[in-house]
Amino acid sequence: MMAANRSTADILDAAVHVRRAARSATSGAAGFDAVLAALSEVMEYDHASLTRWDPVRRRHTTLAGSYPDDATAYIETRLHHDPVFPVLHSPARGGLWLRDVPRHLLTASPGFLEVLSPLGIQDGVAQCLFDADGRYVGMLNVSTRRPRRTPDPARAVVTLLTESLAAAVAPRTIPGPREAAADRAAADPQRPDPRRPGGLSPRELQVLAELTTGRTNREIAERLYITPRTVATHIEHILTKLDVPNRAAAAARAATWGIEPSP
């Protein structure tokens, strides 16, 4: 049965299968192709991809996808420079659907003019994925040559799936004995963790390091791929934990500890 002809209840049931596939991919029990296969039951598509953002190489890496090679290359290396990207790159946005993109942005978008339009794409969604800390971890792209019906229950369902998809694409590391011991220490509030001076979390230490440069909240947000509001919240926690009156005093404390931002 085509997803476009399915009832809202059917689509919600299909969303449960997507979440299960995402959990399996998160644990390594299954591949990401299974996630996209399950997603096809939520919304019929011609092309789709699930990518992970690499902040070091500053590019996306395709985990699973069905776009042609040139479209895949665009998503991986150029999409984050597209004029449309700043619009959709927001934790508060529930995905950017092609039909909702302002016309002036489409006419300025190489992604639409050079990639989607030649493929005959008429609809679809680009959904940025963020982890629990507000860190950008990747993207879901879905495209179809057929306009979708209105109202479209899949729009809301895709938004509901973002948390599971973000958890699946977020980079994972397997802790060694020392890391595992440190994690146990961090979980015990009575036991200090020498890696976290002042009792700061890893993300708070990153923000503290950025404060030593005098950067604004927006500049810090851009470097750490989080929102300015999240930066402000971290700074509030830093000031409270370090018992200092302002960010300048926090930066001075960081300097005495030898904390510096990464290049």
Side-chain angles (χ1 to χ4, degrees):
M1 180 184 298
M2 293 296 186
N5 298 323
R6 305 182 73 188
S7 67
T8 300
D10 290 332
I11 292 174
L12 290 173
D13 286 341
V16 173
H17 295 294
V18 177
R19 294 185 62 180
R20 289 173 181 168
R23 284 197 296 268
S24 295
T26 303
S27 65
F32 291 95
D33 288 331
V35 178
L36 292 184
L39 185 66
S40 68
E41 296 300 316
V42 172
M43 57 178 294
E44 183 186 13
Y45 58 76
D46 292 289
H47 303 288
S49 73
L50 197 57
T51 61
R52 174 180 294 151
W53 173 249
D54 185 337
V56 176
R57 301 171 63 195
R58 295 192 61 79
R59 58 167 289 163
H60 293 90
T61 299
T62 300
L63 303 174
S66 60
Y67 283 95
D69 290 344
D70 57 342
T72 297
Y74 188 90
I75 292 171
E76 291 186 336
T77 63
R78 297 175 58 195
L79 177 58
H80 53 289
H81 297 302
D82 194 287
V84 176
F85 190 75
V87 180
L88 63 93
H89 187 262
S90 169
R93 174 175 284 281
L96 184 61
W97 292 75
L98 184 58
R99 72 178 74 165
D100 298 333
V101 180
R103 176 56 56 180
H104 72 278
L105 281 181
L106 285 182
T107 57
S109 168
F112 177 73
L113 298 176
E114 301 174 15
V115 179
L116 296 183
S117 185
L119 291 175
I121 300 304
Q122 298 189 44
D123 210 342
V125 62
Q127 175 75 62
C128 284
L129 305 173
F130 299 85
D131 69 8
D133 287 336
R135 178 173 57 104
Y136 176 62
V137 294
M139 179 181 288
L140 170 70
N141 285 281
V142 181
S143 301
T144 175
R145 297 186 182 93
R146 293 162 295 283
R148 296 185 58 80
R149 58 178 171 152
T150 302
D152 185 356
R155 292 172 69 108
V157 171
V158 170
T159 300
L160 292 174
L161 290 171
T162 55
E163 183 177 347
S164 297
L165 295 176
V169 306
R172 299 183 301 278
T173 57
I174 300 175
R178 292 179 61 184
E179 290 79 5
D183 289 341
R184 288 194 297 270
D188 184 353
Q190 303 302 320
R191 187 176 180 183
D193 184 348
R195 299 181 309 160
R196 300 181 181 179
L200 302 180
S201 70
R203 177 63 82 183
E204 288 166 350
L205 286 173
Q206 286 181 314
V207 173
L208 177 61
E210 296 295 333
L211 291 181
T212 64
T213 67
R215 293 189 173 99
T216 65
N217 287 9
R218 181 168 295 279
E219 291 170 335
I220 294 173
E222 291 175 351
R223 280 177 55 82
L224 300 182
Y225 304 98
I226 57 180
T227 66
R229 180 178 295 180
T230 300
V231 172
T233 299
H234 285 314
I235 292 175
E236 290 179 7
H237 294 166
I238 290 169
L239 299 184
T240 299
K241 290 182 178 181
L242 300 187
D243 192 22
V244 293
N246 51 49
R247 58 200 293 152
R253 182 74 60 84
T256 64
W257 287 336
I259 295 176
E260 299 178 349
S262 59

Short mmCIF file of all heavy atoms in Angstrom, two decimals, residues 87-98 100 124-130 140 154-162:
data_model
loop_
_atom_site.label_atom_id
_atom_site.label_comp_id
_atom_site.label_asym_id
_atom_site.label_seq_id
_atom_site.Cartn_x
_atom_site.Cartn_y
_atom_site.Cartn_z
N VAL A 87 18.03 28.79 7.41
CA VAL A 87 16.60 28.80 7.72
C VAL A 87 16.18 27.52 8.41
O VAL A 87 15.41 27.52 9.37
CB VAL A 87 15.77 29.03 6.44
CG1 VAL A 87 14.28 29.04 6.77
CG2 VAL A 87 16.17 30.33 5.77
N LEU A 88 16.67 26.39 7.90
CA LEU A 88 16.25 25.11 8.46
C LEU A 88 17.10 24.68 9.65
O LEU A 88 16.70 23.81 10.42
CB LEU A 88 16.25 24.02 7.39
CG LEU A 88 17.57 23.64 6.71
CD1 LEU A 88 18.23 22.48 7.43
CD2 LEU A 88 17.33 23.28 5.26
N HIS A 89 18.28 25.31 9.84
CA HIS A 89 19.20 24.91 10.91
C HIS A 89 18.79 25.56 12.22
O HIS A 89 19.43 26.49 12.72
CB HIS A 89 20.63 25.30 10.53
CG HIS A 89 21.67 24.79 11.48
ND1 HIS A 89 22.21 25.56 12.48
CD2 HIS A 89 22.26 23.58 11.57
CE1 HIS A 89 23.10 24.84 13.15
NE2 HIS A 89 23.15 23.64 12.62
N SER A 90 17.71 25.06 12.79
CA SER A 90 17.20 25.59 14.05
C SER A 90 16.50 24.48 14.82
O SER A 90 15.63 23.80 14.27
CB SER A 90 16.21 26.73 13.80
OG SER A 90 15.53 27.08 15.00
N PRO A 91 16.88 24.27 16.11
CA PRO A 91 16.22 23.22 16.89
C PRO A 91 14.71 23.45 17.04
O PRO A 91 13.96 22.52 17.27
CB PRO A 91 16.92 23.31 18.26
CG PRO A 91 18.22 23.97 17.98
CD PRO A 91 17.95 24.92 16.85
N ALA A 92 14.29 24.72 16.91
CA ALA A 92 12.87 25.03 17.09
C ALA A 92 12.05 24.74 15.84
O ALA A 92 10.82 24.67 15.91
CB ALA A 92 12.72 26.51 17.46
N ARG A 93 12.72 24.56 14.70
CA ARG A 93 11.98 24.34 13.46
C ARG A 93 11.66 22.85 13.28
O ARG A 93 12.50 22.01 13.50
CB ARG A 93 12.79 24.84 12.26
CG ARG A 93 12.14 24.50 10.92
CD ARG A 93 12.89 25.11 9.77
NE ARG A 93 12.63 26.54 9.67
CZ ARG A 93 11.52 27.05 9.13
NH1 ARG A 93 10.58 26.26 8.64
NH2 ARG A 93 11.34 28.35 9.07
N GLY A 94 10.44 22.58 12.88
CA GLY A 94 10.02 21.20 12.66
C GLY A 94 10.27 20.73 11.25
O GLY A 94 9.40 20.14 10.61
N GLY A 95 11.43 21.00 10.71
CA GLY A 95 11.73 20.60 9.35
C GLY A 95 11.31 21.66 8.36
O GLY A 95 10.36 22.43 8.61
N LEU A 96 12.00 21.75 7.25
CA LEU A 96 11.65 22.71 6.21
C LEU A 96 11.18 21.94 4.98
O LEU A 96 11.95 21.24 4.34
CB LEU A 96 12.86 23.58 5.86
CG LEU A 96 12.61 24.70 4.84
CD1 LEU A 96 11.56 25.68 5.38
CD2 LEU A 96 13.90 25.44 4.53
N TRP A 97 9.90 22.08 4.68
CA TRP A 97 9.31 21.39 3.53
C TRP A 97 9.47 22.25 2.29
O TRP A 97 9.37 23.48 2.35
CB TRP A 97 7.84 21.07 3.81
CG TRP A 97 7.69 20.05 4.88
CD1 TRP A 97 7.85 20.23 6.23
CD2 TRP A 97 7.41 18.66 4.70
NE1 TRP A 97 7.69 19.03 6.90
CE2 TRP A 97 7.40 18.07 5.99
CE3 TRP A 97 7.14 17.87 3.59
CZ2 TRP A 97 7.15 16.71 6.18
CZ3 TRP A 97 6.87 16.52 3.78
CH2 TRP A 97 6.89 15.95 5.06
N LEU A 98 9.71 21.60 1.18
CA LEU A 98 10.03 22.31 -0.05
C LEU A 98 8.95 23.32 -0.41
O LEU A 98 9.24 24.44 -0.84
CB LEU A 98 10.23 21.31 -1.19
CG LEU A 98 10.66 21.89 -2.53
CD1 LEU A 98 11.97 22.66 -2.40
CD2 LEU A 98 10.82 20.78 -3.57
N ASP A 100 7.25 25.06 1.45
CA ASP A 100 7.23 26.20 2.37
C ASP A 100 8.43 27.12 2.20
O ASP A 100 8.49 28.16 2.87
CB ASP A 100 7.19 25.70 3.82
CG ASP A 100 5.93 24.90 4.12
OD1 ASP A 100 4.91 25.14 3.45
OD2 ASP A 100 5.98 24.04 5.03
N GLY A 124 8.97 17.46 -0.44
CA GLY A 124 9.90 16.77 0.45
C GLY A 124 10.25 17.64 1.63
O GLY A 124 9.70 18.73 1.82
N VAL A 125 11.19 17.14 2.44
CA VAL A 125 11.55 17.84 3.67
C VAL A 125 13.03 17.68 3.95
O VAL A 125 13.63 16.65 3.65
CB VAL A 125 10.72 17.31 4.86
CG1 VAL A 125 10.99 15.83 5.11
CG2 VAL A 125 10.98 18.10 6.13
N ALA A 126 13.62 18.74 4.49
CA ALA A 126 14.97 18.69 5.05
C ALA A 126 14.82 18.93 6.54
O ALA A 126 14.30 19.99 6.95
CB ALA A 126 15.86 19.74 4.41
N GLN A 127 15.24 17.98 7.35
CA GLN A 127 15.06 18.03 8.79
C GLN A 127 16.41 17.97 9.48
O GLN A 127 17.10 16.95 9.43
CB GLN A 127 14.18 16.87 9.26
CG GLN A 127 14.03 16.77 10.77
CD GLN A 127 13.09 17.82 11.33
OE1 GLN A 127 11.91 17.86 10.99
NE2 GLN A 127 13.62 18.67 12.19
N CYS A 128 16.83 19.08 10.11
CA CYS A 128 18.07 19.06 10.88
C CYS A 128 17.84 18.30 12.19
O CYS A 128 16.75 18.34 12.77
CB CYS A 128 18.53 20.48 11.19
SG CYS A 128 19.27 21.32 9.77
N LEU A 129 18.87 17.62 12.64
CA LEU A 129 18.78 16.78 13.84
C LEU A 129 19.73 17.30 14.91
O LEU A 129 20.90 17.57 14.63
CB LEU A 129 19.13 15.33 13.48
CG LEU A 129 18.30 14.71 12.35
CD1 LEU A 129 18.86 13.33 11.98
CD2 LEU A 129 16.83 14.62 12.73
N PHE A 130 19.23 17.44 16.13
CA PHE A 130 20.00 17.96 17.25
C PHE A 130 19.92 16.99 18.42
O PHE A 130 18.87 16.41 18.68
CB PHE A 130 19.47 19.33 17.68
CG PHE A 130 19.55 20.38 16.61
CD1 PHE A 130 18.55 20.51 15.66
CD2 PHE A 130 20.63 21.24 16.56
CE1 PHE A 130 18.62 21.47 14.66
CE2 PHE A 130 20.72 22.21 15.57
CZ PHE A 130 19.71 22.33 14.62
N LEU A 140 18.14 14.70 8.00
CA LEU A 140 17.31 13.82 7.19
C LEU A 140 16.84 14.61 5.97
O LEU A 140 16.34 15.73 6.11
CB LEU A 140 16.09 13.35 7.99
CG LEU A 140 14.99 12.63 7.19
CD1 LEU A 140 15.47 11.25 6.74
CD2 LEU A 140 13.71 12.53 8.00
N ALA A 154 1.98 13.21 7.71
CA ALA A 154 3.40 12.84 7.78
C ALA A 154 4.26 14.00 8.23
O ALA A 154 5.34 13.81 8.80
CB ALA A 154 3.88 12.34 6.41
N ARG A 155 3.82 15.23 8.00
CA ARG A 155 4.60 16.39 8.41
C ARG A 155 4.83 16.38 9.92
O ARG A 155 5.95 16.57 10.39
CB ARG A 155 3.90 17.68 7.98
CG ARG A 155 3.88 17.89 6.48
CD ARG A 155 3.01 19.08 6.12
NE ARG A 155 3.61 20.34 6.54
CZ ARG A 155 4.14 21.23 5.70
NH1 ARG A 155 4.16 20.99 4.40
NH2 ARG A 155 4.64 22.35 6.15
N ALA A 156 3.76 16.17 10.67
CA ALA A 156 3.88 16.16 12.12
C ALA A 156 4.64 14.93 12.59
O ALA A 156 5.42 15.00 13.55
CB ALA A 156 2.49 16.20 12.77
N VAL A 157 4.44 13.81 11.92
CA VAL A 157 5.10 12.57 12.33
C VAL A 157 6.61 12.66 12.16
O VAL A 157 7.37 12.23 13.03
CB VAL A 157 4.53 11.37 11.54
CG1 VAL A 157 5.36 10.12 11.80
CG2 VAL A 157 3.08 11.12 11.94
N VAL A 158 7.06 13.26 11.06
CA VAL A 158 8.51 13.41 10.85
C VAL A 158 9.12 14.24 11.98
O VAL A 158 10.20 13.94 12.48
CB VAL A 158 8.79 14.05 9.48
CG1 VAL A 158 10.26 14.45 9.36
CG2 VAL A 158 8.42 13.08 8.36
N THR A 159 8.42 15.27 12.40
CA THR A 159 8.91 16.10 13.52
C THR A 159 9.00 15.27 14.79
O THR A 159 9.97 15.37 15.55
CB THR A 159 7.98 17.30 13.74
OG1 THR A 159 7.93 18.09 12.56
CG2 THR A 159 8.47 18.15 14.90
N LEU A 160 8.02 14.42 15.04
CA LEU A 160 8.03 13.58 16.24
C LEU A 160 9.17 12.57 16.23
O LEU A 160 9.63 12.13 17.28
CB LEU A 160 6.69 12.84 16.37
CG LEU A 160 5.46 13.71 16.67
CD1 LEU A 160 4.20 12.86 16.63
CD2 LEU A 160 5.60 14.39 18.02
N LEU A 161 9.64 12.22 15.03
CA LEU A 161 10.69 11.20 14.91
C LEU A 161 12.10 11.78 15.07
O LEU A 161 13.07 11.03 15.15
CB LEU A 161 10.60 10.51 13.56
CG LEU A 161 9.39 9.59 13.35
CD1 LEU A 161 9.32 9.15 11.89
CD2 LEU A 161 9.49 8.37 14.26
N THR A 162 12.22 13.11 15.12
CA THR A 162 13.56 13.71 15.09
C THR A 162 14.43 13.30 16.27
O THR A 162 15.64 13.10 16.12
CB THR A 162 13.47 15.24 15.04
OG1 THR A 162 12.66 15.70 16.14
CG2 THR A 162 12.84 15.69 13.74
#
